[in-house]
């Protein structure tokens, strides 16, 4: 490589290290018991041999849980494993976007967009999250296609389609709404290719083969489909598509507009690239509208979309008509300024932990958890302090073989007391959604009655859960309160022989 390229790769290294250092600090300023805790418990279940959909109710694809469990196996459960997961995925995404830009655009633009990618992708969340895990596969397949299109020959088109089909299924099995958006985008890109027949054949084969192999990942496709479709919360999110203002979320539309003014007149010359850019812009908007994350924090694709925008403008430069040169230069300057502004905004959202502001305006905890291996992690005092006291009491007074049913937001309690999570229940409780009213709620009710736990953890907010699964009377008749920590209460099964 040239001296200039060595400097460029040194810049990449510095950006990756800087992102890792920021995440090392930011990741442990806020522990969200409901959302972080529930997905960590689901991952803890998987790492201990439980199967999603069969051993516990789970409404999304299992790949994110397996990623977490993979890092648990290497580093054991705790902050180190979570930080390793976070930094690894973040670094892969930054490197991928850098490689997409490398030799396609200028040195300053490569550095500028790579700089944006880090804070936009993971900083507002600063926690391993299934949206980002799904986008990981989508970004990798996007960068792969940028380096492949237009396809050099029929074999390249076929094998590219095959590879893309595999990654599309991985995205689908991580988070279905995001995976479906990427799968549709890839289908359209291959459909406009000059070698569409080979590309679509490979893509179809990749999708089919991966879907068949996914049976070994999902374990039970029937339960997977039932639990995914039963979750009413997902259906409610799609109603956002009917609102026109939602389509203008998070500036994806603005970058799309800049490229449209310049590149679309040259669509016939660069059909795959311009379609890919348009598709990724759609994925970004669609993810915002159909995701559970608050909209302003859902900016994961700013980096790859901006990278594609600059690549599109760079490609059409040689074909520009003189009458369009002024618009082109103006658009390039506006896109550069927009990238700088988006970088500043992403950094701000990261510092604010924007994703978790749905819970409270300043999500940074006012209490430091003392229980290993989460010691040093900040949390709200009204949850963090009871957690420490509950873990201490359980470790000292409840045998490891005794079963525990948690009906509160203390999902993390199983991992912190190193015991098996109670089987047959949802990984998280949503009022009237998980478990869903009707058959699913009855199944959970029967599971608890047939396998009554030795201990139950409840709190003042447990009433909706108890009503949904209709076990209030059984708990009142068969359990006695033994220990209280804040608003949390440990109940022990009443043993008459005692």
């Amino acid at each position: 490589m040239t001296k200039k390229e060595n400097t460029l790769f040194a810049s990449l290294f510095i950006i990756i290290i800087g992102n890792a250092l920021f995440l090392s600090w930011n990741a442990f300023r806020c522990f969200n018991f409901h959302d972080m805790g529930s997905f960590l418990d689901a991952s803890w279940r998987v790492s201990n041999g439980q199967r999603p959909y069969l051993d516990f109710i789970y409404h999304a694809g299992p790949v994110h849980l397996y990623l977490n469990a993979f890092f648990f196996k290497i580093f054991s459960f705790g902050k180190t494993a979570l930080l390793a997961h976070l930094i690894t995925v973040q670094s892969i995404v930054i490197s991928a976007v850098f490689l997409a830009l490398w030799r396609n655009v200028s040195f300053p633009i490569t550095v500028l967009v790579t700089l944006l990618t880090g804070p936009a992708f993971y900083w507002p969340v600063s926690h391993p999250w299934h949206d980002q895990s799904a986008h990981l596969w989508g970004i990798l397949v996007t960068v792969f296609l940028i380096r492949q299109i237009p396809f050099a020959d029929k074999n390249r088109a076929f094998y590219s389609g095959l590879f893309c089909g595999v990654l599309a299924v991985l995205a689908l099995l991580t988070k279905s709404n995001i995976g479906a958006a990427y799968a549709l985008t890839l289908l359209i890109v291959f459909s406009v290719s000059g070698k569409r027949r080979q590309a679509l054949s490979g893509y179809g084969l990749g999708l089919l083969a991966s879907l068949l192999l996914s049976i070994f990942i999902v374990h039970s496709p029937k339960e997977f489909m039932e639990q995914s479709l039963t979750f009413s919360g997902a259906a409610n999110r799609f109603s956002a598509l009917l609102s026109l203002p939602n389509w203008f979320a998070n500036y994806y539309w603005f970058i799309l507009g800049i490229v449209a003014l310049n590149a679309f007149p040259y669509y016939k010359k660069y059909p795959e690239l311009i379609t890919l850019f348009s598709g990724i812009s759609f994925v970004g908007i669609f993810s915002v509208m159909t995701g559970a994350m608050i909209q302003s924090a859902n900016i994961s694709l700013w980096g790859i979309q901006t990278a594609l925008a600059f690549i599109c403008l760079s490609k059409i430069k040689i074909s520009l008509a003189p009458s369009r040169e002024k618009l082109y230069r103006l658009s390039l300057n506006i896109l550069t300024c927009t990238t700088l502004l988006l970088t500043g905004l992403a950094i701000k959202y990261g510092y604010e932990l924007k994703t978790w502001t749905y819970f409270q305006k300043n999500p940074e905890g006012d209490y430091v958890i003392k229980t290993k291996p989460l010691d040093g992690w900040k949390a709200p005092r009204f949850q963090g302090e009871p957690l420490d006291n509950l873990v201490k009491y359980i470790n000292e007074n409840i045998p490891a073989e005794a079963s525990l049913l948690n009906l509160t937001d203390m999902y993390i309690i199983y991992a912190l007391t190193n015991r098996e999570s109670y089987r047959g229940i949802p990984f998280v409780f949503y009022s009237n959604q998980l478990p869903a009213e009707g058959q699913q709620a009855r199944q959970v009710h029967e599971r608890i009655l047939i396998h009554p736990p030795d201990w139950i953890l409840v709190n003042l907010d447990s009433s909706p859960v108890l009503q949904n699964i209709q076990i209030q009377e059984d708990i009142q008749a068969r359990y006695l309160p033994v220990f209280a920590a804040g608003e949390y209460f440990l109940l022990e099964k009443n043993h008459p022989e005692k």
Side-chain angles (χ1 to χ4, degrees):
M1 292 190 298
T2 65
K3 184 178 180 181
K4 187 176 182 180
E5 286 182 317
N6 285 330
T7 305
L8 192 59
F9 274 85
S11 301
L12 170 64
F13 179 75
I14 292 169
I15 290 171
I16 288 174
I17 295 299
N19 274 270
L21 290 173
F22 179 82
L23 290 174
S24 301
W25 171 73
N26 210 44
F28 306 118
R29 293 170 55 217
C30 163
F31 187 82
N32 183 290
F33 279 73
H34 187 270
D35 288 317
M36 292 182 185
S38 59
F39 279 96
L40 289 180
D41 176 56
S43 305
W44 168 254
R45 290 171 182 267
V46 168
S47 69
N48 284 283
Q50 290 192 23
R51 298 161 299 175
Y53 323 112
L54 294 176
D55 295 318
F56 62 96
I57 299 171
Y58 186 68
H59 63 73
V63 172
H64 175 71
L65 305 185
Y66 289 127
L67 282 175
N68 265 341
F70 171 76
F71 284 94
F72 292 170
K73 290 295 183 182
I74 296 175
F75 298 100
S76 75
F77 175 83
K79 289 166 60 181
T80 302
L82 295 172
L83 188 60
H85 180 174
L86 191 62
I87 291 175
T88 299
V89 172
Q90 172 89 320
S91 301
I92 290 172
V93 168
I94 292 171
S95 300
V97 172
F98 171 87
L99 290 175
L101 294 158
W102 182 44
R103 293 181 176 171
N104 278 323
V105 298
S106 67
F107 180 110
I109 295 301
T110 300
V111 173
L112 180 62
V113 179
T114 304
L115 199 61
L116 164 64
T117 301
F121 187 76
Y122 241 143
W123 285 21
V125 185
S126 289
H127 183 80
W129 200 240
H130 58 325
D131 290 63
Q132 273 71 13
S133 293
H135 284 308
L136 167 66
W137 312 117
I139 289 172
L140 287 177
V141 80
T142 300
V143 172
F144 171 78
L145 275 181
I146 290 170
R147 309 300 299 192
Q148 296 297 318
I149 55 177
F151 300 116
D153 52 53
K154 293 178 180 180
N155 284 338
R156 184 69 63 90
F158 176 81
Y159 287 112
S160 294
L162 184 70
F163 178 72
C164 291
V166 173
L167 289 192
V169 171
L170 275 174
L172 274 166
L173 292 178
T174 308
K175 200 163 187 284
S176 58
N177 65 318
I178 293 175
Y182 279 113
L184 177 61
T185 294
L186 294 170
L187 177 64
I188 298 173
V189 170
F190 294 138
S191 297
V192 303
S193 170
K195 298 178 177 62
R196 65 177 63 85
R197 197 159 146 201
Q198 293 77 20
L200 288 171
S201 297
Y203 185 53
L205 181 60
L207 286 174
L208 181 61
S210 300
L211 285 170
L212 290 173
L213 289 172
S214 69
I215 294 173
F216 299 101
I217 300 174
V218 172
H219 297 297
S220 179
K222 178 176 177 289
E223 279 74 12
F224 166 60
M225 292 300 297
E226 286 178 353
Q227 291 176 23
S228 298
L229 295 173
T230 301
F231 180 55
S232 61
N236 294 336
R237 292 173 198 161
F238 281 87
S239 62
L241 296 171
L242 302 176
S243 175
L244 185 60
N246 288 333
W247 288 85
F248 297 94
N250 293 2
Y251 308 104
Y252 288 113
W253 62 273
F254 186 73
I255 297 172
L256 177 61
I258 293 173
V259 174
L261 285 172
N262 291 271
F264 282 3
Y266 305 94
Y267 179 79
K268 288 185 178 180
K269 189 168 185 178
Y270 305 100
E272 298 113 319
L273 179 61
I274 295 174
T275 301
L276 180 61
F277 165 75
S278 304
I280 293 304
S281 301
F282 164 74
V283 173
I285 296 169
F286 185 79
S287 301
V288 172
M289 289 193 289
T290 59
M293 191 184 301
I294 63 172
Q295 285 198 355
S296 57
N298 202 335
I299 57 174
S300 305
L301 296 189
W302 275 359
I304 188 64
Q305 190 208 19
T306 306
L308 273 163
F310 277 111
I311 292 170
C312 284
L313 293 182
S314 176
K315 292 292 183 184
I316 69 167
K317 186 177 181 181
I318 59 172
S319 305
L320 274 179
S323 60
R324 301 186 64 87
E325 287 181 359
K326 188 175 181 180
L327 173 64
Y328 178 86
R329 288 195 298 272
L330 177 63
S331 299
L332 199 59
N333 289 333
I334 291 174
L335 185 58
T336 302
C337 292
T338 300
T339 305
L340 286 167
L341 291 171
L342 293 182
T343 303
L345 200 56
I347 292 170
K348 177 177 179 289
Y349 286 170
Y351 178 75
E352 293 173 350
L353 290 164
K354 194 71 172 180
T355 300
W356 310 111
T357 55
Y358 84 89
F359 183 67
Q360 52 189 19
K361 187 175 181 180
N362 178 14
E364 184 168 5
D366 56 356
Y367 177 84
V368 178
I369 295 173
K370 299 178 177 61
T371 301
K372 293 182 179 299
L374 300 188
D375 53 315
W377 202 327
K378 290 184 177 181
R381 179 174 291 276
F382 79 94
Q383 293 169 308
E385 193 167 17
L387 173 70
D388 283 336
N389 293 332
L390 285 166
V391 171
K392 185 174 185 296
Y393 181 88
I394 291 170
N395 286 337
E396 291 177 354
N397 297 280
I398 300 179
E401 63 274 10
S403 56
L404 170 66
L405 169 62
N406 170 56
L407 297 174
T408 75
D409 53 11
M410 290 285 179
Y411 303 103
I412 201 69
I413 203 81
Y414 297 112
L416 292 184
T417 56
N418 198 29
R419 62 184 65 230
E420 184 180 31
S421 304
Y422 189 87
R423 295 179 180 235
I425 63 172
F427 82 108
V428 64
F429 289 100
Y430 289 115
S431 181
N432 300 324
Q433 293 184 24
L434 270 178
E437 291 180 307
Q439 182 182 356
Q440 198 173 82
R442 287 192 297 273
Q443 289 174 347
V444 174
H445 170 84
E446 291 170 5
R447 163 72 192 182
I448 294 172
L449 292 188
I450 294 172
H451 303 278
D454 299 308
W455 294 78
I456 297 179
L457 178 62
V458 296
N459 69 350
L460 300 178
D461 294 326
S462 295
S463 295
V465 175
L466 298 176
Q467 291 171 7
N468 191 22
I469 56 181
Q470 298 181 1
I471 61 170
Q472 309 97 306
E473 294 181 2
D474 296 278
I475 289 180
Q476 290 172 358
R478 302 171 65 179
Y479 290 84
L480 295 173
V482 174
F483 180 75
E487 61 179 33
Y488 299 86
F489 302 90
L490 271 171
L491 313 179
E492 184 182 15
K493 187 164 62 177
N494 187 16
H495 299 282
E497 65 274 14
K498 287 187 178 181

